[in-house]
Amino acid sequence: MEVSTSTPRDAASVDWPSDWLRATLGFLALRALSPGPSYGYAIISELERYGFGTIKGGTLYPLLTRYEAAGLVTTEWRAGDGGPGRKYFALTDQGRAEVTRLSADWLRFTDVTTRYLDQPTREGSP
Amino acid sequence: MIQQTSDKKWFDQLVMELRLRQVHGNAIGDTVASAKELLSDTGQQAEEAFGPARDYAAALELPAAPKHDWVRKALWPSLLGLLAFLLFNQAVVSSTRSELLLISPAQLALLATPVVLVAFLPLYLDAIVRRIWVCIAITAICALAGVMSGVATPTDQAEAWLALDPLPWLIGSALVMVALSVRNTIRSSSTTDDDDITDPSSGAASSTGTGARVIVQVTNWMFPILALAMLGLALALR
């Protein structure tokens, strides 16, 4: 996967609460690898393009290292075009299954949250 | 230029932190190369992209060698070498003057000080590497103990706790020092160090220049070289 410059429709530059990002960044990074192997900057650009803000290398790489240790991703160094080599991350079968499971769980969780938030509030309550 | 200097300092610190965590050289090379790759893509400074080197090294949670590995490989031989060197120094003066080797309990305790400090090095190695004053304090204590042990040497046999023939101790300690140096020389020259930091994109190992190899050999022979100097000094002052 190379860095894309097109902007998705729902992208917005928002500073999400750091707790929310901490909770979701793991499987978002895995999801960014679903289309195919990718490298650090391309993953960061992909997430930024979709409105998650700019993820720092100091946040992303430890996550990917942990996933590599857990067998969810594999890594491979490929020669760069005239520049330094690039470290590509790719999902393993186990990683792919994990993305599917986590995505389904997240959708269920957001559905429950949305239903709760959408319920009418009692009059006079804060 | 300033960015390059601060990044170099950051990377030096990162390597040191990962070494302190007993991370294998290959994994350190991989970490450094992937960090450089991102900085080259984003144009950011290392500290800006990854935060403090110490925190980043901790966050990576890279697999580490067992803690006792370097103790077995490096610390115990160094400790034995130091012990032999200290024994040699005690024996060399008596031997060149054809006197008995006289030892008092206070002298023995003072001589044991550097040995004990080195033996407990794994407990405070992090502090020595991170705080220069700890390193200076430990060195000063060892030097002071050495000087004080000279002062505490008994002048006649009645004051001494032990009175020994110095020659066997002189020869024995010299043999131990030479044997350890030969062992270290063989280990460092016959085998490629598999813990070198290697660049994963090229497979090249760093820090294997002639200068580095000379420093390693001089370090391997440090105790015999110092012992020879002490022997020369003792003969000159006889």
Side-chain angles (χ1 to χ4, degrees):
Chain A
M1 186 177 76
E2 295 303 319
V3 178
S4 169
T5 51
S6 63
T7 311
R9 276 175 303 172
D10 55 345
S13 184
V14 177
D15 282 333
W16 300 109
S18 58
D19 285 354
W20 294 8
L21 280 175
R22 231 191 325 272
T24 54
L25 191 58
F27 74 84
L28 293 176
L30 287 177
R31 173 65 182 81
L33 297 174
S34 290
S38 186
Y39 53 92
Y41 181 57
I43 298 169
I44 288 171
S45 302
E46 164 95 348
L47 295 176
E48 190 174 10
R49 206 162 58 85
Y50 275 86
F52 292 106
T54 308
I55 309 301
K56 293 195 170 192
T59 308
L60 179 70
Y61 281 107
L63 274 175
L64 293 172
T65 306
R66 224 165 293 151
Y67 288 147
E68 186 184 3
L72 302 182
V73 300
T74 54
T75 61
E76 182 195 4
W77 279 90
R78 297 184 192 171
D81 300 328
R86 287 199 181 285
K87 185 179 184 178
Y88 275 80
F89 299 87
L91 284 178
T92 60
D93 290 342
Q94 191 189 342
R96 225 169 270 286
E98 190 69 357
V99 173
T100 307
R101 186 184 70 80
L102 288 170
S103 298
D105 285 354
W106 179 253
L107 288 175
R108 270 210 327 275
F109 178 74
T110 51
D111 185 46
V112 169
T113 309
T114 307
R115 269 193 284 125
Y116 180 72
L117 290 174
D118 282 349
Q119 71 176 327
T121 53
R122 278 180 299 173
E123 209 170 307
S125 64
Chain B
M1 184 67 186
I2 292 170
Q3 179 169 336
Q4 280 177 353
T5 309
S6 64
D7 275 0
K8 187 184 179 314
K9 198 175 161 193
W10 189 90
F11 276 108
D12 286 347
Q13 210 181 339
L14 178 67
V15 170
M16 186 196 79
E17 291 292 340
L18 292 171
R19 280 289 191 205
L20 281 174
R21 290 171 183 278
Q22 306 291 308
V23 173
H24 196 272
N26 285 343
I28 297 177
D30 189 281
T31 302
V32 168
S34 54
K36 282 184 177 170
E37 174 206 326
L38 187 70
L39 296 184
S40 150
D41 283 334
T42 60
Q44 289 175 301
Q45 285 197 0
E47 180 100 21
E48 181 191 353
F50 296 99
R54 189 175 176 181
D55 294 349
Y56 184 54
L60 284 169
E61 294 176 13
L62 290 167
K67 278 244 169 189
H68 60 264
D69 234 31
W70 76 272
V71 174
R72 183 176 55 81
K73 283 182 184 169
L75 187 66
W76 292 129
S78 303
L79 197 62
L80 189 60
L82 176 66
L83 198 61
F85 177 67
L86 291 172
L87 269 174
F88 183 91
N89 282 346
Q90 292 301 306
V92 73
V93 176
S94 313
S95 185
T96 51
R97 290 179 183 169
S98 305
E99 294 170 353
L100 284 172
L101 172 58
L102 304 176
I103 295 170
S104 68
Q107 186 189 11
L108 211 57
L110 287 163
L111 283 173
T113 304
V115 177
V116 171
L117 284 174
V118 173
F120 285 100
L121 194 61
L123 298 179
Y124 58 87
L125 182 66
D126 285 18
I128 281 192
V129 174
R130 292 199 178 102
R131 294 178 192 84
I132 186 72
W133 65 264
V134 177
C135 184
I136 292 169
I138 297 289
T139 310
I141 291 169
C142 290
L144 193 66
V147 172
M148 293 294 286
S149 75
V151 175
T153 305
T155 47
D156 61 64
Q157 207 168 332
E159 292 175 25
W161 182 47
L162 286 171
L164 308 163
D165 179 4
L167 199 61
W169 295 94
L170 189 77
I171 294 169
S173 57
L175 285 176
V176 168
M177 281 188 283
V178 171
L180 283 170
S181 297
V182 169
R183 167 194 176 269
N184 291 340
T185 304
I186 291 169
R187 279 174 71 103
S188 57
S189 58
S190 68
T191 60
T192 314
D193 193 347
D194 63 355
D195 201 20
D196 275 349
I197 296 173
T198 48
D199 182 347
S201 50
S202 66
S206 61
S207 74
T208 49
T210 314
R213 279 199 296 270
V214 169
I215 289 171
V216 168
Q217 293 307 334
V218 169
T219 311
N220 286 340
W221 287 89
M222 186 177 69
F223 284 131
I225 291 168
L226 289 174
L228 265 180
M230 292 302 295
L231 178 64
L233 196 67
L235 286 170
L237 297 175
R238 186 168 52 166

